Each structure stands twice: as C-alpha cells, then as structure tokens.
Amino acid sequence: SALDAGASAYLADTVTESVLRAQIGTLLKNGHHWENTEVRQDPYIWINPESSRIRLNGSEIRLSRRLFRFLHYLALHPDRTFTASEIANVLSDGQKFIQENSVAAQVHRLRKYMEAAGAGEWLETVHGFGYRLTLPQKKSFDVKLS
C-alpha cells in the first residue's frame, strides 16, 4: 500500500543504520547532480568530471574512478568533516555496499597520490570524527604604492 501511495521504497522491518544508509544512497543516486560540477581553485586544484582530469598544484594525477569520485566530492565540500559512513556512501556510488573499515584504506591510497603532487597534507584525519579536505588559502600580497 505504501508503494501504491507513491513511496519510492519502504522498509518492512527494523534495520541497521548501514542498511538504512545503503537504501537512502540508492534512492538519492538519481539526484547526483554534483558529479558534473567542476572544481577550480587556481593554482591549487582543478577537477574536471567531463574529462576525468585532476590537477593538484599544477601536476596532473590519475586516479581510479572510485578515488576520483572521492576527491571530487571532498573538493566540492572543503573544510567539511565527513564520517567514515558518509564516505563509504560516496565511494559506493550506490552500486554496492562498502564497509566503513575499508574507508581508511581508500584515504591512504588517495593521500599517496596527493603526496606525489605535494598536496598530501590537504587530506586531514580528524581523529574521532572522520576526514576532511582543507585547501590552501590564496596568498594575498600587500602592495604599498609610494
């Protein structure tokens, strides 16, 4: 009757948080408009989803689809701390469930690629909370005209 009334999905029994998150992720998958949004903060970062290209500090890096998606999502939300379960949802792409304990391995892999471009410190571990991407601030110069 819930589906007949217009619900997209329903849960018949009590479920764990991870199952609920997986269900919600699947429902939201069709609304991932962020996947086509370019990120650009010259000269530090440029992420172009159309060409699947990433530049960090002027160096192009090549990532797997999953790591590309991960970095892209973090770059769209700089300075926001994400929990392991939120990151697992982003990494899963709504296709298969990713265990939260594998998030640390994905963070480690991404950080290694970023370190090669001199940007490893941008991906921060916030102990007890999760992870965040902190981009450098543009440097401003104080010019005195005499």
Side-chain angles (χ1 to χ4, degrees):
S1 65
L3 293 173
D4 288 338
S8 299
Y10 72 97
L11 301 170
D13 294 322
T14 304
V15 294
T16 63
E17 179 184 347
S18 60
V19 172
L20 180 60
R21 285 184 181 274
Q23 285 283 352
I24 292 169
T26 300
L27 290 172
L28 295 176
K29 182 182 178 214
N30 295 333
H32 281 180
H33 63 280
W34 63 268
E35 293 175 333
N36 297 318
T37 304
E38 181 180 274
V39 175
R40 174 168 263 168
Q41 184 178 328
D42 292 327
Y44 304 112
I45 189 168
W46 173 64
I47 300 176
N48 186 326
E50 188 174 306
S51 64
S52 300
R53 298 177 80 181
I54 297 176
R55 288 192 178 277
L56 298 177
N57 286 331
S59 300
E60 187 164 341
I61 62 171
R62 298 186 188 276
L63 300 175
S64 67
R65 183 172 183 249
R66 181 174 283 168
L67 290 180
F68 181 95
R69 180 180 175 80
F70 181 27
L71 180 58
H72 184 212
Y73 193 76
L74 290 176
L76 286 169
H77 306 93
D79 298 320
R80 179 173 168 213
T81 302
F82 291 94
T83 65
S85 62
E86 289 173 313
I87 293 170
N89 189 41
V90 170
L91 291 173
S92 71
D93 191 16
Q95 297 189 9
K96 66 178 183 176
F97 183 72
I98 294 179
Q99 296 290 330
E100 291 179 26
N101 59 1
S102 69
V103 169
Q106 297 295 324
V107 169
H108 177 72
R109 285 186 192 105
L110 179 56
R111 194 174 277 138
K112 285 180 78 173
Y113 283 105
M114 292 176 70
E115 283 173 355
E121 70 277 359
W122 298 357
L123 184 54
E124 300 176 31
T125 301
V126 182
H127 295 286
F129 293 99
Y131 304 93
R132 75 171 158 237
L133 182 71
T134 302
L135 299 174
Q137 299 297 318
K138 289 187 177 184
K139 295 178 183 174
S140 61
F141 297 97
D142 187 20
V143 179
K144 292 184 179 184
L145 299 174
S146 53

